[in-house]
Amino acid sequence: MARAFFRLQKFLRRTQFLLFFLTAAYLMAGSLLLLQRTRLVLQQGSRSSAANQAVPEAAGRVAMADARVPQSVHPAARPLAGTDTLQEPARGPRWLTSRNSELWQLRRRWFHRFISDQEPMQTAGLKAMRRTAEHKGTYMGCFSDDSKERTLKGAVFYDLRKMTVPHCQEACAERAYSYAGLAYGAECYCGNTLPAAAAAPEECNSECKGEKGSVCGGVNRLSVYRVEELRAGARRGRNVIYRGCFRAPENLTDTFPASLIQPNLTVEMCSEFCSKKEFPLAVVRGRECHCGFPTARFPLRDGADGQLCRGTGTHCRVYQTPVQDTRCTDRKFLTTKSKVFVALSSFPGAGNTWARHLIEHATGIYTGSYYFDGALYNKGFKGEKDHWRSRRTICVKTHESGKTEIEMFDSAILLIRNPYKSLMAEFNRKYAGHLGYATDHNWQSKEWPDFVNSYASWWASHVLDWLKYGKRLLVVHYEDLKQSLIPKLKEMVEFLNVTVTEDRLLCVENNRDGNFKRSGAKQKDFEPFTQEMKDLINRYILTVDEALRGRNFTGLPREYVPR
């Protein structure tokens, strides 16, 4: 019995040692494999980091992109013509019932490029921050921030990845503000009045997204810096924009909240005075300087001959200061989910971002997006990060045009722009971001005719699909909106079932351009469209015009077809 017990004990000891050895060997092998895979990932990441560093990273973006890509390649496309050669588009019902997988492949490629093409702007922003890294303002402390009644009302930008204290300071200095406030680690606000409610220093505890170890406010807390020391250098670069000559109100002092009478008054002196008072308009009449906003008594809509402003009589010169009109900059998400799901639909390059800017500032409610664009989010479009199905936004941007994608919306504002202008705008965005211009080499390469050949049919199919499947439409022509801003914007706001004040609409008109207007300084010295391209696009224009009139909408403006 003792011998049997001894043998059993010896066997268990050997088994225990064997199990220990196998376990150790398994762990060592797993560790080596993990190290090898990690090194491989790092090598691959170093090769691709240059291409990926500009892609925005936001919470929930992966889930949003995964949910959207399949719908971008929905098989129920409504094509117009083949994309291999320039062809004459079909006429009549066949436009609305044919199938073409190539057009959907085009949209799928566009969606994937839409995210990666934002690198030029993001890189430019990074360079700008490096240039401003040496600037330092005076830290004033941590302050409470009321989102409903902000002291620092001039929201400049947000940046989920690269917000820094110097970047915010420089942005506020360039806009003639004395204080820069940072919140949530990624938001920058400007103003000339220090917030009244101080908070405990430890309540500003959010690390800046682009500067480790630096504090950028907190939740409803502002880290405030005085940037007046930067203004002397920034003042030289600021532009004072001449708005025109206008008839002066009967009593200037009653119309404008702040006034100054100064011998030998200059435009610069008046603009600086009004900027310190946080007014967007500087009004000069002789040696009188008045500051204020556009109002119903002074709407800035009927300009006069500049010769009438030479004296000190019935007319005055009006200038735009660097200060933003803040009467319409406050925006929020809907507190309860919207019962009506509204799309803001357009072909790429048709002014969708501009229309969103106008709608948000007129209604005070954020717009959403079917896509995520970090550059737009950084410029204040907070709805970019919100899921497009959340129904917390007043409308949702989309470039989709499949039957399924259209029918999921209850109504839509369909924004249409001259295809010649739309194609050029989207081509510029593709190669140079939201504010840049494609190079002459891009325009003269094979990319441009291929682009026109593919995208021109998409421009037409987009309108035709929405006319066929849209449940309730408001058709807005970009050109009409640009020419008659307030009447058309009122029409859009009424369609969205929102009531706005006249002062808010005047504020929108004063901030009409937004942050994504390309400068008109760079003009091409050649005609990008060949006659063959024009023939193709013109036929699409005629077909879309006929479809619009068939649905009792206003036809396309005559300027669409080149003479």
Side-chain angles (χ1 to χ4, degrees), residues 118-284:
Q118 297 167 42
E119 183 175 356
M121 176 173 289
Q122 300 287 350
T123 305
L126 180 60
K127 291 179 180 177
M129 284 189 296
R130 288 172 179 169
R131 287 197 301 270
T132 61
E134 68 276 8
H135 295 301
K136 295 293 180 184
T138 303
Y139 182 63
M140 305 303 295
C142 182
F143 294 85
S144 298
D145 179 44
D146 185 354
S147 59
K148 294 182 179 179
E149 195 62 40
R150 294 188 182 278
T151 306
L152 304 180
K153 296 180 179 179
V156 177
F157 64 94
Y158 315 112
D159 199 324
L160 284 172
R161 297 185 62 202
K162 299 189 286 284
M163 177 60 72
T164 66
V165 173
H167 195 186
C168 181
Q169 292 173 348
E170 186 71 15
C172 293
E174 288 176 354
R175 289 158 176 80
Y177 289 105
S178 298
Y179 296 102
L182 299 104
Y184 299 97
E187 300 183 3
C188 174
Y189 299 91
C190 307
N192 284 333
T193 304
L194 198 66
E202 60 270 17
E203 293 181 21
C204 286
N205 52 18
S206 295
E207 186 177 63
C208 300
K209 297 295 184 181
E211 193 175 23
K212 291 185 177 180
S214 297
V215 176
C216 287
V219 179
N220 294 323
R221 295 293 183 268
L222 285 170
S223 297
V224 180
Y225 293 81
R226 175 181 269 288
V227 296
E228 192 169 18
E229 61 188 77
L230 305 179
R231 297 178 65 184
R235 187 177 297 117
R236 292 190 297 271
R238 286 194 224 116
N239 292 322
V240 179
I241 302 172
Y242 178 59
R243 294 291 300 272
C245 177
F246 297 88
R247 176 175 288 277
E250 292 183 3
N251 193 324
L252 286 172
T253 56
D254 288 345
T255 303
F256 300 110
S259 300
L260 170 70
I261 298 178
Q262 180 79 30
N264 301 319
L265 180 72
T266 65
V267 173
E268 290 74 18
M269 293 168 59
C270 185
S271 174
E272 190 69 24
F273 173 74
C274 294
S275 295
K276 288 180 179 179
K277 297 291 185 180
E278 293 195 39
F279 291 109
L281 295 184
V283 181
V284 179

Side-chain angles (χ1 to χ4, degrees), residues 316-476:
C316 54
R317 292 173 291 156
V318 180
Y319 298 87
Q320 185 90 32
T321 73
V323 176
Q324 187 179 20
D325 190 340
T326 58
R327 295 174 297 170
C328 58
T329 55
D330 58 305
R331 288 162 287 168
K332 61 183 180 181
F333 289 102
L334 293 171
T335 53
T336 58
K337 289 187 177 181
S338 174
K339 296 180 180 179
V340 181
F341 198 26
V342 186
L344 177 62
S345 177
S346 74
F347 175 76
N352 200 302
T353 299
W354 180 52
R356 291 177 65 187
H357 163 79
L358 297 175
I359 291 171
E360 287 194 5
H361 284 72
T363 64
I365 304 171
Y366 286 114
T367 60
S369 178
Y370 189 80
Y371 321 95
F372 175 80
D373 188 335
L376 294 182
Y377 180 88
N378 293 343
K379 289 293 185 178
F381 289 94
K382 277 193 171 182
E384 285 290 314
K385 199 176 69 170
D386 206 55
H387 194 278
W388 64 280
R389 284 187 180 272
S390 71
R391 292 180 180 256
R392 297 199 309 153
T393 55
I394 194 167
C395 60
V396 176
K397 163 191 173 178
T398 180
H399 300 312
E400 303 300 311
S401 55
K403 181 177 183 293
T404 303
E405 287 78 6
I406 293 173
E407 290 183 342
M408 66 186 176
F409 290 99
D410 301 314
S411 59
I413 296 175
L414 178 59
L415 185 63
I416 305 174
R417 188 183 185 185
N418 187 326
Y420 288 95
K421 301 294 185 181
S422 294
L423 291 170
M424 292 172 65
E426 177 60 13
F427 193 73
N428 278 320
R429 189 205 63 80
K430 176 182 177 183
Y431 285 99
H434 288 282
L435 297 176
Y437 288 90
T439 64
D440 290 349
H441 174 73
N442 296 136
W443 292 102
Q444 295 169 351
S445 69
K446 188 177 181 295
E447 282 285 328
W448 171 240
D450 289 346
F451 179 88
V452 173
N453 189 36
S454 301
Y455 279 63
S457 61
W458 183 4
W459 174 85
S461 71
H462 180 274
V463 177
L464 296 172
D465 279 3
W466 279 91
L467 289 176
K468 180 176 182 180
Y469 300 113
K471 299 174 185 176
R472 176 173 171 260
L473 290 179
L474 172 65
V475 175
V476 176

